[in-house]
Amino acid sequence: MSASSKKSPPQQIPKVYKFLFGGGAGMAATLFVQPLDLVKNRMQLSGEGGKAKEHKNSLQALRSIFRNEGLTGIYTGLSAGLLRQATYTTTRLGIYMTLFEHFSKDGKNPTFLMKAGIGITAGGIGAFVGTPAEISLIRMTADGRLPADQKRGYTSVFNALYRIATEEGVLTMWRGCMPTVGRAMVVNAVQLATYSQAKENLMRTGYFKDNLFLHFVASMISGLATTTASMPVDIAKTRIQNMKIIDGKPEYKGAIDVWIKTIGQEGFFSLWKGFTPYYFRLGPHTVLTFIFLERMNKLYATYVMGNSSAGGGL
């Protein structure tokens, strides 16, 4: 058979695999960082409503979890964390990679502003899809800090979703959807755009090649920028999704109400409460997600498409 008659291998990874690889990478990363997500949520809820702070720092929160809930307590809410990645991250990374490819023209990547716009779009859609798993995760990780008579006692994310829908109404699964979507738009605009841009800029220096070390450095830069920008939105989301209805009235009217009450009762910098566990959760999660994703894309391109020179696709 002549070379001209051979069927050329496809030049792009099929869209369905972009989504599957995105979700798979996020779920794999969550297995490593779930304990940090738990500590971050506990820190953000500590001192809520003007009460005395339960945890002064992340180490104290971690010791409290070990003491009161045991070794397995640090993985409370894992099923919800995995479902969140299966919905939210599958959607956001799949859409981002698809749009990134669409707007790459003549071998040139999209501009930074275009990357940010793609990230906003991908994050907003992904967050809406992932909100039910998100609210289950918040409640499951918060349960251990409540008195025995106030614990919700969800046995799994599916039990949480069923009980939320039957006890509080289906729409409750999208409670806090607006701050969740807002946070995701901020996170993805910063995270995905800075990661892609950091990769480009680092490679231009001539000191980096498209390899594991480059992905690690770009991910850490992305994680720091994302943590700083997104924490105020994240704390509003966390408190709204965990709030109870008291005498028929919700504790908070919305994200702005959370910020006003939080700043008034706990100070301005409380909007970055839990920064350390948030960064040490988001940083490694960003690193691991992008590394897993880049490797999945690279392996598919090499062994399925027959293109060993292909990059990771971000």
Side-chain angles (χ1 to χ4, degrees):
M1 184 182 291
S2 65
S4 60
S5 63
K6 290 181 180 178
K7 187 175 181 180
S8 299
Q11 296 302 305
Q12 302 294 344
I13 296 174
K15 290 182 175 59
V16 64
Y17 287 107
K18 292 180 184 292
F19 284 82
L20 290 175
F21 290 166
M27 293 175 76
T30 292
L31 292 173
F32 292 90
V33 303
Q34 177 66 20
L36 297 171
D37 205 27
L38 173 64
V39 172
K40 183 267 295 183
N41 286 339
R42 295 285 177 88
M43 287 290 293
Q44 289 185 333
L45 293 169
S46 178
E48 185 179 21
K51 299 176 183 177
K53 292 183 180 180
E54 302 163 75
H55 311 300
K56 295 178 181 179
N57 54 55
S58 304
L59 288 176
Q60 187 190 49
L62 192 58
R63 283 198 299 268
S64 175
I65 292 168
F66 276 122
R67 184 174 62 252
N68 298 324
E69 301 165 56
L71 182 62
T72 58
I74 63 171
Y75 272 94
T76 298
L78 177 61
S79 61
L82 291 174
L83 183 61
R84 179 177 181 272
Q85 296 301 320
T87 52
Y88 166 62
T89 303
T90 296
T91 304
R92 73 173 179 116
L93 289 181
I95 290 176
Y96 183 81
M97 287 188 289
T98 300
L99 293 179
F100 188 96
E101 176 188 303
H102 177 77
F103 287 106
S104 296
K105 302 297 182 183
D106 302 321
K108 293 183 179 180
N109 291 334
T111 64
F112 180 78
L113 287 179
M114 190 173 291
K115 290 171 189 168
I118 295 171
I120 287 172
T121 302
I125 297 172
F128 181 82
V129 173
T131 294
E134 177 87 16
I135 196 169
S136 300
L137 175 63
I138 295 296
R139 291 186 175 195
M140 290 176 75
T141 54
D143 215 33
R145 63 186 284 272
L146 297 174
D149 61 336
Q150 295 182 27
K151 291 182 185 294
R152 294 183 170 104
Y154 300 137
T155 56
S156 70
V157 64
F158 301 107
N159 176 253
L161 292 172
Y162 173 77
R163 285 182 51 192
I164 291 169
T166 55
E167 295 171 9
E168 304 173 56
V170 173
L171 293 181
T172 305
M173 291 194 291
W174 277 270
R175 176 184 291 168
C177 183
M178 291 307 294
T180 301
V181 169
R183 170 193 175 276
M185 292 170 77
V186 171
V187 165
N188 285 274
V190 178
Q191 184 188 60
L192 298 176
T194 56
Y195 176 78
S196 297
Q197 197 65 40
K199 268 184 65 179
E200 282 186 36
N201 292 343
L202 290 169
M203 289 183 71
R204 286 197 193 106
T205 66
Y207 296 106
F208 291 85
K209 295 182 179 180
D210 193 356
N211 56 22
L212 192 63
F213 183 62
L214 170 66
H215 303 160
F216 174 80
V217 176
S219 297
M220 291 306 293
I221 293 171
S222 172
L224 182 61
T226 305
T227 299
T228 304
S230 66
M231 277 212 72
V233 186
D234 190 71
I235 198 169
K237 172 194 71 67
T238 298
R239 294 195 173 188
I240 288 173
Q241 290 182 324
N242 189 59
M243 71 180 178
K244 294 180 178 293
I245 306 299
I246 302 173
D247 296 328
K249 295 181 180 180
E251 292 180 74
Y252 303 109
K253 298 175 183 177
I256 294 176
D257 189 40
V258 173
W259 292 329
I260 291 172
K261 290 179 178 177
T262 301
I263 293 171
Q265 296 170 355
E266 304 167 52
F268 177 74
F269 289 103
S270 63
L271 295 179
W272 284 269
K273 182 188 294 180
F275 184 94
T276 301
Y278 189 98
Y279 177 67
F280 281 106
R281 180 264 181 198
L282 184 64
H285 195 274
T286 300
V287 171
L288 291 168
T289 297
F290 284 136
I291 286 176
F292 284 136
L293 181 59
E294 296 265 13
R295 298 315 297 168
M296 288 177 185
N297 287 340
K298 179 72 174 177
L299 289 171
Y300 185 91
T302 300
Y303 295 105
V304 179
M305 295 166 52
N307 183 5
S308 60
S309 63
L314 282 174

